[in-house]
Amino acid sequence: MFKNIKDRIMNKKRNENINENITENITEHEAWELNQSLDKNKALLQTILDNDDMVTFRDFETKGKASLKCFIVCVNGMVNNEMINENIIQPVTNASLDEISKQTKITDAFINKIIVSNSITKTSDVNQLVCSVLYGDTILLIENETEALIIDTKGWGMRGISEPLAERVVRGPREGFTESVMPNLALIRKRISNPDLKFQFKEIGVRTKTKTCLCYINGLVNPKILQELMERLDDINIDGITDSGMIEELIKDAPLSPFATIGNTERPDVVVSKLLEGRIALVCDGTPFVLTLPYLFIEYFQANEDYYNNYIYGSINRLLKGFGFFLSTSVPAVYVALITFHQEMIPTPLILSVFAARQGIPFPTVVEAVIMLIAFEILREGGIRLPGPIGSAIGFVGALIIGQAAVEAKFVSAPMIIIVALTGISNFLVPKMFGPLLVMRLLFLISASFLGLFGYLFGVIGLFIHLMSIRSFGLPYMLHTGDLKMQDIKDTTIRAPWWTMKNRPKLLANEDSNRQFTGNLGKKER
Amino acid sequence: MNKEVISDKQGISIIILYMVGTSSIFMTALEAEKDSWLAIIMALFMALIVAFILARIKTLFPEDDLFQIIEKCFGKFLGKGIILLYTGYLFYTGVLVLMNITQFINISSLDETPEIIIRVALMLLCVWIVKEGMEVLGRWSEFFVIPIIGFILIFICLSIPKMNIHHLFPILSVGITPMIHATHFVFAFPLGETVIFTIAISQLSVKKSYYKVYMTGVLIGGIILLVICLTNLLVLGINITSGVYFQTHLTASLIDIGGFLQRIEAVMTVVLILAGFIKLSIYLLATSMGVAKIFGRPDYRFVVTPVALLMINLSVILFDSIMEFMKWDVEIWPYFSLPFQVIFPIIILIIAEAKKKRTKNSIREQTCP
Amino acid sequence: MNTVAVIFLYAIIGSIETVSLYKNNPKKECVLYEIALLTAFIISLLLSAGVELPNPADYIRHMVERLVG
């Protein structure tokens, strides 16, 4: 059903010429190469970097009789000044080129003998030079040379590694990703010291040229999925990327579905465990949220803490999350269906007290439920962006005062407050699923208000048709979710002890399915 | 050609859900009175034979569905005629299933809601899943078959305290003729309906497992029906059983464990709706495939919605009351469905075997003269 | 009232389905679809207006009774 619409959107996107114009504007410079004359080169760079006060040009000369003129270009604030002073300017101005033989090229001599840096490249492509200057590198141009040196001097201020606020754990590593791609990659790399872990860079965004990095473990990853991902990333033709969420939406399957077919996390340990299951991670510069794919429905319920705590506790948490999912989607719908259509199904004492509480309420139950649910969402959205103390104050005002007053003013019934509160709290058991839960809850509520419990049941049937029909990078979204096979249940409905999970999830890892090479780890201790 | 491959387990799940479908909620073999469970056992044996025949046909032509096999066996012209008959039959049966489900919903709880609204809502879901294709249907069934069997087991276990073994005695008290009638009826609906799977489950991931899928599915489905029938008889006794339309619903509503475990009939209703939904979808799918085949179109998806709308229309025309419906169901249905369930498959099998033998011989003659 | 509901419903179904249908399918499919939809629409319209239509159940009953006896 969604495929047609997706195709239509894709076609529309391709037909738009705006993006192509952007590409043309920027690739105009493609032919530009460096010149022999230093002054001409400088003029060229100055015209490109015109009107940009952040860019600094600095001229200097080498020592000795045959002194060479050079200059560097860098962007203030993005570079490490100390490094430029001590490792580039000082050695170059102190160096004497007299003893260097005529055979060696001057640029090579600079790289090999003079400049102190672990990463130097030489190029004559002006485009590349400009790009690297703008990304915090320093370029060094030398008289009579058609090649310039790009020296890595990146050094901008960044946030320190801290615990991610959205994914706190009681037990488990407290490191979280930051907004810079390199430290993030280091966080992943230091957890997997294996040459099979591969990182591949890719630039996305015609204007922003955002660095993104594909991470996967060779031999575990499914090459078809990797291939598919590459193709989809290549298809992106957009002005700029400011967060990985944009990439997610541009490449995800089932684009109109509320459900995520690509996961995101701020925690390196989660990324590592996904990589070890044969998934691919996509790190994007400028955001701490790393995408992991393919993403299956069951991953909504798998928290990293389940794996570090005792397995019984982990399993109970897993089941609780499933129950929370059920409560959060269904409680208002079932309540409305029971009150409006199936009074005979409620035990008599309960129905009496409910109807006593509902006496004098002006609205039908459905309207009451919708109003309260929307009110809850308003309170949640209002409190979420405020600083801590004010946020909790809003919570108090909303929950206690407004709730109490609304019940006493006979605006809503007391049972409805309980229902909405229960719904709202169980929302937080599956924190990544807010959007889908909200949509499902309202749809179920509407269908239940038309056809009672049967309407609710029809809603559930429809939900599962939808879930069964979507795929994430070729894998069925509901893979292993309802299976009762021993191998699959170990990491779905419950979290089995680690020593029993000997194999990786099937289908994802097609080459090497052994997770544990010696099968007796846990048994020895018993 | 758009062919969807499903696994053995999914195939079996679909057949089980299909068998449990509408038949779990009302009993079919009531002519045999106390011995209706015996009638179910006999019908199950017959159904297994039919399933064997159909599996044999499918194994001879593993790539084709029944319609293609018919065309191959009877030629283009006669084949089209038979396909037309089959499509009409499937369409008509689908309407009966639809009416069955919505009548149950209407009578059991939503007596003020117009039936047509329930029908439209249900059909909407069926159209959706059929358009998504057989693969989604298979996955859906695989997911839901476990909770459904679990619900039925819970229902049976909780009914044990109310059972009375004397409700079954004396055995074989009704005589031969009602027994045969009852067997025929249970066979006609739903146990002998395997023929629809030769159309709907047109391809399995493992080519040779048609025997396994058809026969296991029919066997498990039949056993579930048998157990439900026995439970109803043991709890209600034959007098009450023959007096109501929805026996299982009544039996479940009698369950009361310690004053708090009540309202199990809601659970049984869920079973009926989930399984009945699959049953209806299978009929819609098969009918659409038939229509597409008659007009020689390779894909059936484009015609699903009109077929569904026509089904809703026919359901309005057919019967005015549930009494009329039940009467027709008992008197006419078994004879109407017999040719499609038994006679055509046997003829097809004979022709197919003859054709296969001839082609084999001719190949042998060609290869080693 | 019923007639209006029927017309409304078919209008919605028709407009939603035809767009994707005409894009993805050959002409023959579209024609078949329109014919089938029109038939369903006419029958629904007649039913909503309260017209008594012939009941196929009766024909099947006659047929079966003649054959089986």
Side-chain angles (χ1 to χ4, degrees):
Chain A
M1 198 175 214
F2 287 125
K3 266 174 220 152
N4 303 335
I5 305 167
K6 187 187 171 187
D7 285 346
R8 226 183 298 156
I9 293 170
M10 286 295 183
N11 285 335
K12 209 177 189 182
K13 216 189 281 167
R14 277 182 198 126
N15 291 340
E16 280 171 12
N17 294 325
I18 306 160
N19 288 348
E20 283 161 27
N21 288 340
I22 298 167
T23 344
E24 272 166 31
N25 275 340
I26 285 176
T27 47
E28 254 175 64
H29 313 307
E30 222 169 86
W32 289 3
E33 297 253 320
L34 281 184
N35 211 299
Q36 282 262 331
S37 147
L38 194 64
D39 293 331
K40 271 190 184 167
N41 285 340
K42 194 172 180 181
L44 176 66
L45 286 171
Q46 266 166 344
T47 39
I48 296 175
L49 300 167
D50 192 23
N51 281 341
D52 189 343
D53 295 340
M54 265 182 98
V55 183
T56 318
F57 288 80
R58 163 86 162 79
D59 305 272
F60 46 88
E61 284 176 29
T62 58
K63 242 182 178 179
K65 286 171 210 162
S67 79
L68 275 173
K69 279 185 183 167
C70 349
F71 72 90
I72 57 169
V73 189
C74 62
V75 178
N76 254 339
M78 295 198 63
V79 292
N80 187 343
N81 287 336
E82 234 168 73
M83 210 167 144
I84 295 180
N85 295 343
E86 288 175 10
N87 301 347
I88 303 172
I89 302 180
Q90 202 178 18
V92 172
T93 47
N94 283 340
S96 146
L97 292 168
D98 297 346
E99 57 256 42
I100 289 171
S101 61
K102 291 276 173 335
Q103 278 87 3
T104 44
K105 283 185 74 178
I106 301 286
T107 42
D108 289 337
F110 267 71
I111 294 173
N112 295 337
K113 296 197 170 170
I114 299 169
I115 292 167
V116 190
S117 171
N118 61 350
S119 158
I120 307 180
T121 37
K122 53 178 186 178
T123 179
S124 59
D125 181 7
V126 175
N127 241 336
Q128 197 191 338
L129 287 175
V130 171
C131 284
S132 41
V133 163
L134 295 177
Y135 198 61
D137 289 335
T138 302
I139 55 171
L140 173 65
L141 279 85
I142 310 157
E143 198 178 353
N144 296 333
E145 290 296 326
T146 54
E147 283 182 318
L149 303 182
I150 303 174
I151 304 150
D152 183 4
T153 54
K154 294 184 190 75
W156 51 76
M158 55 188 160
R159 188 167 66 97
I161 292 169
S162 61
E163 188 176 10
L165 286 177
E167 291 171 78
R168 284 207 183 152
V169 289
V170 177
R171 175 166 182 188
R174 301 201 190 280
E175 282 177 327
F177 288 122
T178 61
E179 281 77 4
S180 316
V181 67
M182 280 304 174
N184 289 352
L185 295 181
L187 284 177
I188 298 172
R189 170 68 90 182
K190 79 172 185 196
R191 284 178 166 77
I192 310 177
S193 319
N194 191 317
D196 278 338
L197 174 64
K198 305 291 183 199
F199 293 97
Q200 283 183 10
F201 280 99
K202 230 176 172 54
E203 277 181 358
I204 300 178
V206 180
R207 277 192 203 284
T208 57
K209 296 209 190 308
T210 311
K211 307 262 177 309
T212 52
C213 180
L214 284 174
C215 320
Y216 57 89
I217 296 180
N218 222 353
L220 297 187
V221 74
N222 186 336
K224 273 186 207 154
I225 296 177
L226 190 63
Q227 178 69 26
E228 174 72 26
L229 174 64
M230 297 280 205
E231 280 167 16
R232 289 191 197 178
L233 285 178
D234 286 336
D235 275 349
I236 296 180
N237 185 8
I238 194 173
D239 206 4
I241 296 284
T242 49
D243 187 274
S244 51
M246 294 172 73
I247 303 180
E248 176 185 339
E249 214 161 294
L250 286 167
I251 63 173
K252 81 181 248 202
D253 298 72
L256 293 180
S257 166
F259 289 94
T261 49
I262 294 177
N264 65 69
T265 179
E266 277 186 89
R267 308 191 62 89
D269 56 319
V270 174
V271 170
V272 166
S273 69
K274 303 270 186 221
L275 287 176
L276 288 172
E277 282 179 355
R279 291 188 165 84
I280 306 169
L282 191 67
V283 188
C284 174
D285 199 10
T287 172
F289 287 94
V290 172
L291 305 179
T292 57
L293 56 103
Y295 187 77
L296 304 181
F297 184 69
I298 196 71
E299 286 176 62
Y300 274 126
F301 301 94
Q302 296 171 331
N304 57 342
E305 220 179 331
D306 297 349
Y307 296 97
Y308 309 144
N309 280 319
N310 181 296
Y311 73 97
I312 297 178
Y313 181 56
S315 302
I316 291 174
N317 276 349
R318 185 93 25 111
L319 291 173
L320 272 181
K321 274 179 205 136
F323 192 54
F325 170 74
F326 167 73
L327 284 183
S328 177
T329 49
S330 311
V331 165
V334 171
Y335 175 75
V336 166
L338 286 177
I339 293 293
T340 352
F341 290 92
H342 312 272
Q343 291 97 343
E344 79 282 354
M345 290 186 69
I346 314 174
T348 323
L350 187 60
I351 189 94
L352 285 179
S353 66
V354 168
F355 272 86
R358 275 193 53 72
Q359 208 129 63
I361 307 289
F363 307 114
T365 325
V366 197
V367 179
E368 204 188 349
V370 172
I371 290 176
M372 283 311 288
L373 286 174
I374 291 174
F376 176 81
E377 294 301 325
I378 289 173
L379 285 173
R380 185 186 59 78
E381 189 63 27
I384 210 164
R385 310 207 189 283
L386 291 173
I390 309 177
S392 50
I394 287 220
F396 275 118
V397 171
L400 291 176
I401 303 175
I402 296 184
Q404 182 76 19
V407 170
E408 276 179 13
K410 296 267 179 201
F411 216 66
V412 286
S413 59
M416 186 52 79
I417 299 274
I418 300 174
I419 297 293
V420 172
L422 186 62
T423 316
I425 297 293
S426 42
N427 227 342
F428 294 100
L429 283 179
V430 231
K432 296 227 178 236
M433 222 201 275
F434 268 126
L437 283 179
L438 184 63
V439 175
M440 275 186 279
R441 195 180 307 140
L442 285 177
L443 286 181
F444 285 179
L445 188 59
I446 291 165
S447 57
S449 70
F450 279 114
L451 291 176
L453 280 182
F454 295 99
Y456 166 67
L457 205 55
F458 289 171
V460 173
I461 292 176
L463 168 70
F464 275 91
I465 299 175
H466 176 58
L467 285 176
M468 299 289 175
S469 67
I470 41 186
R471 285 169 174 270
S472 174
F473 288 84
L475 292 188
Y477 196 46
M478 294 294 272
L479 192 70
H480 303 324
T481 306
D483 272 12
L484 276 189
K485 242 184 259 159
M486 227 19 234
Q487 180 57 39
D488 298 325
I489 206 173
K490 275 178 195 163
D491 197 16
T492 54
T493 350
I494 58 168
R495 203 280 282 172
W498 268 108
W499 37 266
T500 63
M501 294 200 257
K502 293 202 181 89
N503 291 321
R504 271 169 242 292
K506 259 184 254 162
L507 267 184
L508 262 177
N510 52 354
E511 285 181 31
D512 180 7
S513 69
N514 267 339
R515 175 131 64 178
Q516 289 173 10
F517 296 99
T518 50
N520 294 320
L521 276 176
K523 283 175 194 156
K524 268 179 216 158
E525 282 129 53
R526 275 192 294 176
Chain B
M1 190 83 195
N2 209 336
K3 276 190 175 160
E4 284 106 357
V5 180
I6 60 172
S7 73
D8 287 6
K9 209 181 145 199
Q10 289 169 344
I12 294 173
S13 311
I14 292 176
I15 298 182
I16 293 174
L17 285 192
Y18 176 90
M19 293 294 170
V20 173
T22 50
S23 324
S24 67
I25 208 74
F26 69 100
M27 286 165 60
T28 40
L30 281 177
E31 259 183 85
E33 300 195 353
K34 285 175 189 170
D35 297 324
S36 46
W37 57 282
L38 274 175
I40 293 183
I41 293 180
M42 279 159 64
L44 184 56
F45 276 113
M46 284 165 64
L48 282 174
I49 296 169
V50 171
F52 183 84
I53 292 173
L54 291 163
R56 173 75 195 154
I57 296 175
K58 280 294 287 182
T59 320
L60 288 176
F61 299 94
E63 299 290 332
D64 306 323
D65 59 35
L66 186 71
F67 293 142
Q68 285 161 310
I69 297 172
I70 289 174
E71 270 196 343
K72 275 185 187 167
C73 292
F74 292 96
K76 197 124 197 172
F77 191 71
L78 194 57
K80 278 257 158 78
I82 294 173
I83 293 172
L84 187 66
L85 283 180
Y86 254 109
T87 310
Y89 159 75
L90 293 170
F91 180 73
Y92 194 80
T93 321
V95 174
L96 294 186
V97 172
L98 174 66
M99 294 181 73
N100 233 324
I101 298 171
T102 51
Q103 268 166 355
F104 169 73
I105 295 177
N106 204 281
I107 288 175
S108 68
S109 48
L110 296 181
D111 46 355
E112 281 169 26
T113 317
E115 241 177 274
I116 189 79
I117 291 179
I118 307 171
R119 281 177 193 160
V120 171
L122 192 59
M123 263 306 178
L124 196 74
L125 291 170
C126 291
V127 169
W128 186 4
I129 199 168
V130 170
K131 281 203 168 190
E132 293 288 357
M134 199 60 202
E135 234 179 294
V136 173
L137 218 144
R139 251 182 261 144
W140 199 98
S141 310
E142 196 184 13
F143 185 84
F144 276 106
V145 76
I146 293 158
I148 283 176
I149 291 180
F151 284 159
I152 292 173
L153 285 180
I154 290 172
F155 157 68
I156 290 163
C157 292
L158 293 181
S159 296
I160 289 174
K162 297 258 175 191
M163 285 182 187
N164 183 356
I165 192 75
H166 297 294
H167 281 148
L168 286 188
F169 295 120
I171 294 172
L172 277 179
S173 58
V174 284
I176 294 300
T177 327
M179 194 71 185
I180 290 173
H181 272 277
T183 309
H184 183 190
F185 189 84
V186 181
F187 174 77
F189 197 80
L191 288 174
E193 285 275 274
T194 334
V195 68
I196 196 169
F197 298 112
T198 53
I199 303 159
I201 306 181
S202 61
Q203 269 203 323
L204 289 169
S205 55
V206 184
K207 282 276 166 330
K208 298 205 166 164
S209 50
Y210 289 104
Y211 291 109
K212 184 183 140 200
V213 171
Y214 289 172
M215 298 184 69
T216 325
V218 171
L219 192 64
I220 297 176
I223 287 172
I224 291 175
L225 283 191
L226 176 65
V227 177
I228 290 178
C229 167
L230 271 175
T231 314
N232 286 338
L233 278 177
L234 283 167
V235 173
L236 297 176
I238 187 62
N239 289 335
I240 306 177
T241 309
S242 48
V244 293
Y245 289 123
F246 305 119
Q247 293 87 358
T248 315
H249 192 254
L250 182 62
T251 312
S253 66
L254 290 179
I255 294 173
D256 181 359
I257 308 281
F260 71 94
L261 249 184
Q262 299 172 341
R263 309 289 167 203
I264 303 296
E265 76 264 28
V267 172
M268 288 315 283
T269 310
V270 170
V271 169
L272 168 85
I273 300 292
L274 293 179
F277 161 69
I278 283 298
K279 193 168 192 162
L280 189 52
S281 306
I282 294 270
Y283 275 108
L284 183 58
L285 176 78
T287 313
S288 308
M289 285 170 89
V291 173
K293 194 84 218 160
I294 290 169
F295 293 103
R297 309 320 301 167
D299 192 32
Y300 63 87
R301 280 184 179 76
F302 72 99
V303 85
V304 175
T305 324
V307 168
L309 290 171
L310 285 169
M311 274 187 172
I312 297 173
N313 280 335
L314 187 59
S315 76
V316 178
I317 300 174
L318 272 187
F319 303 109
D320 295 328
S321 69
I322 186 167
M323 264 102 82
E324 204 183 326
F325 176 41
M326 288 289 181
K327 194 159 166 262
W328 198 91
D329 222 15
V330 174
E331 286 175 3
I332 307 297
W333 173 254
Y335 303 102
F336 172 55
S337 62
L338 196 63
F340 300 101
Q341 290 171 343
V342 183
I343 297 172
F344 277 131
I346 291 178
I347 298 173
I348 293 169
L349 179 68
I350 293 168
I351 297 177
E353 289 279 6
K355 277 215 163 163
K356 272 278 148 157
K357 211 166 243 174
R358 207 185 304 152
T359 46
K360 229 178 228 170
N361 284 341
S362 63
I363 288 168
R364 203 173 292 151
E365 277 160 25
Q366 279 166 7
T367 45
C368 35
Chain C
M1 182 55 219
N2 283 342
T3 320
V4 176
V6 165
I7 293 171
F8 189 64
L9 192 75
Y10 275 86
I12 292 176
I13 293 171
S15 54
I16 290 176
E17 288 231 310
T18 21
V19 176
S20 65
L21 189 82
Y22 275 81
K23 222 163 226 178
N24 302 325
N25 284 305
K27 205 159 189 184
K28 207 163 174 188
E29 258 92 344
C30 301
V31 173
L32 273 174
Y33 173 85
E34 295 302 343
I35 291 171
L37 194 69
L38 205 68
T39 321
F41 179 57
I42 291 168
I43 296 175
S44 298
L45 218 54
L46 290 176
L47 283 174
S48 69
V51 180
E52 282 270 329
L53 290 171
N55 186 347
D58 297 337
Y59 296 113
I60 294 173
R61 175 185 285 271
H62 287 308
M63 213 168 66
V64 169
E65 273 169 0
R66 200 169 294 166
L67 281 177
V68 180

